[in-house]
Amino acid sequence: MPQDDDAPLDPNALATEPLRRALGSRYLQYALSTIMHRALPDARDGLKPVHRRILFAMRELKLAPGGGFRKSAKITGDVMGNYHPHGDAAIYDAMARLAQDFNVRYPLVDGQGNFGNIDGDNPAAARYTEARMTRAAEMLLDGLAEDAVDYRPNYDGTLEEPVVLPAAFPNLLANGASGIAVGMATNIPPHNLDELIEGCLALIAQPDLPDSDLVALIPGPDFPTGGVVVEPRDAILSAYQTGRGAIRLRARWEIEDLGRGQWQVVVTEIPYQVQKSRLIEKLAELIQARKVPLLADIRDESADDVRIVLEPRSRTVDADLMMGMLFRNSDLETRFSLNMNVLIDGLTPKVCSLREVLRAFLDHRREVLARRTRHRLARIDHRLEVLEGFIIAFLNLDRVIDIIRYDEAPRAALMRETWGRAFARATSEADYVSPPEGEGELSELQAESILNMRLRSLRRLEEIELRRERDDLLKERAELEDLLASDQLQWKRISGQLRDVQALYGKATDPGRRRTSFAEAGEVEDVPPEALIEREPITVVCSKMGWVRAMKGHVALDQNFKFKDGDEGRFAFHAETTDRIVLFGSNGRFYTLMGANLPGGRGMGEPVRLMVDLPNEADIVDLFVHRAGVRLVVASSAGDGFVIPADEVIAQTRTGRQVLNLKPGARAHVCRVVTGDHLAVVGENRKMLVFPLDDLPEMTRGKGVRLQSYKDGGLADLTTITLAEGLRWRDPAGRTRHEADLTEWLGKRAGAGRMAPRGFPRDNRFT
């Protein structure tokens, strides 16, 4: 029976639960689990549950920084069996990442063995590697034994694990984090710990510190792989204020002088999370595709450091220009998307600003300090109670010995005994210690401690030491009570703890020095490809079947060029390597080739269809050198055409640019450079028409307008002329014919025209 979606569910009738409600509730549970227990880090210690459990398990295994290593398989097994019931591969991958100094700014795991590299190689299997904690990880765990944080049962209730770590430094920002949850994600870059501590100290001293001053202390990320941040300061400030933004990061490079005018570029640092091997493959592809003509070769000379050598094509190349093109076309420049989405108090996901993240850490440190202080007070009170009992025993030693020797239940007897009078007779008023309970009776703890006292402690010297210890504890207790009662003292203590961390990881130390620097972007201008190529003369030869090649130098165009069997020459002209060669196809599209990218002239060349996406059914109508500023007239076999600026036919991709739209059955037929003031058109019916060029519209794309009307056939050829100079053509005998007066053929555009002049070529071609 169908149920109302809003009706209450019967727990004994789950089979009738509406599907929408069942899916919704279960997906919500999955989403919450992913957000809180897998993908998003805690703002307090900067860790996800898997990382927190790894470090806690290593602490339980006593893998201290100065101790021995243990097999990674043992650590992974303990984490999986005790705290994290997920796959061992995922746990090991998470642990391995904490040991990779190219991924984590301050590694939390000290790995021994192959833990992967910057090339993108995976770590060795867990059975081959060993690990222990680093000093930084130990600082994150410091205070667990002092009730600094809450514990919760593990997944099967047999053990307990910490909800969050005490975290002596802002690990979230120091090491960064990334993760993808359901409907949300996080991506936080690593920062310099010395700068983070300076920011925390500034917030402690001035809670309302302006964001601009805070970002002046923390100017930007500090990536473990170095690099150069080229994002403007205003954009970084905005990203830190909103918790969202992007940061541009470039590789660090330098020019290495080889002598005699030769030089090369050496890349010493690459952007964060870029695999070096993949980067080199991409650069090699750019060289192969000739997308960066200034770059001749690339070599990887890296050892423990990064050293990528880039060889320019010639010594005259501008290094800044070459690197600018590489930044644009490769991962030598990347954008790190900043999204500071974290769990506040381990419960609420929120996109936080830099200030909010630091404040969450500082509030956590204050809570940790208060809990550790209260824990220490409880320990002091416990010890003071024991010391009071010891002092009573020393002052009434004979009676204590009698009770222990002769009484069958000495602990109960000690607790029943009234020590007040004997105590008063045995000590001066100045040394009097208030008994723990009304009539001077010992507590159970004191009686048990006296019974457990060693005989060697029954010395006068021991009594003096107990009194000194009692006085020191009372003094410490008073200081701790003052600490709990004063916010100022608490923040002063926290500041001191942060400065202790700063002493270990300050900028003066090797692990604490800033690795990522800042610079102006130096935007790369759009440079035409021909400006990046060494200018050399070439002779372009293209066959009728579309095989094209470029011969070095300007050779005679009337010589016999070699072609494949069954093929013959069609186009041959002089050009330069910096020229753009324009191809007009019968499909109405223009394609662009670079003279420097044409195959050499030693062989027969290569099919032009391998260089551009010219369909097999389309033919080459024309092939010529692009000249900026000129105009072209294009026309179809149906007699439609228009004028177009030559700059508008340049294509940026292999697919070309569609310019002339064709009606069904028509093909692009002719393309000519505009040089005169009139257009002469001849049809397949040998009728010629001359009309002013101004009658043709200038367009960038379209079908055009009717040039000449035909009853049968279509357009044969056209040319542009200067009317005052008449029309010239070459007859079959090679003689130049001239028709000076074209009045007979002058007419309006789209007219039929009149028969061509006597002696006009039989193929109806002007050239």
Side-chain angles (χ1 to χ4, degrees), residues 633 641-643 679 691-698 705 707 749:
V633 55
F642 58 89
V643 174
L679 185 71
F691 60 88
L693 263 172
D694 292 341
D695 291 350
L696 270 187
E698 184 173 304
V705 297
L707 305 180
R749 178 185 60 79

Side-chain angles (χ1 to χ4, degrees), residues 118-119 270 274-280 300 302 306 308:
I118 199 171
D119 278 329
I270 62 177
V274 171
Q275 296 181 3
K276 180 164 64 68
S277 60
R278 184 69 190 94
L279 172 65
I280 293 174
D300 184 10
S302 305
V306 173
I308 302 173

Side-chain angles (χ1 to χ4, degrees), residues 623-639:
L623 188 71
F624 56 92
V625 177
H626 169 259
R627 295 289 179 253
V630 303
R631 298 191 302 162
L632 305 173
V633 55
V634 293
S636 68
S637 59

